[in-house]
Amino acid sequence: MLSQDLQTAINAQIKNEYYSSYLYLSMAAYCESINFAGFAGWLRRQSEEELTHAMRFFDYMLDRDGRVVLDT
């Protein structure tokens, strides 16, 4: 099992990955609103990549019997 300190750090990183995804998605929405479809598409892909990172940490924690805590 993972130490409590490591679980706390991984949970913080999961939160950071989701936040980054949210920021990229926000920027994509803005680019769409000003008809920058190319930039918007690139930013959406970056958002999805951040979600992938979050899920890798999520699965890592669960695979090692850690507890994922999704704080706001």
Side-chain angles (χ1 to χ4, degrees):
M1 185 159 185
L2 302 170
S3 71
Q4 187 58 51
D5 286 344
L6 186 55
Q7 288 184 60
T8 300
I10 292 172
N11 278 317
Q13 187 59 34
I14 291 170
K15 180 180 178 179
N16 291 337
E17 298 291 347
Y18 276 116
Y19 182 69
S20 295
S21 175
Y22 186 82
L23 286 177
Y24 278 122
L25 199 55
S26 175
M27 290 185 281
Y30 174 73
C31 286
E32 285 284 351
S33 75
I34 60 171
N35 296 317
F36 284 10
F39 285 124
W42 183 83
L43 289 163
R44 281 179 183 242
R45 286 188 296 280
Q46 300 314 303
S47 175
E48 291 169 5
E49 183 178 345
E50 297 302 325
L51 290 176
T52 300
H53 297 162
M55 291 310 299
R56 285 182 182 166
F57 282 110
F58 186 94
D59 291 337
Y60 178 88
M61 183 90 92
L62 293 178
D63 289 345
R64 285 151 185 81
D65 297 324
R67 180 162 183 256
V68 174
V69 179
L70 299 177
D71 290 333
T72 57

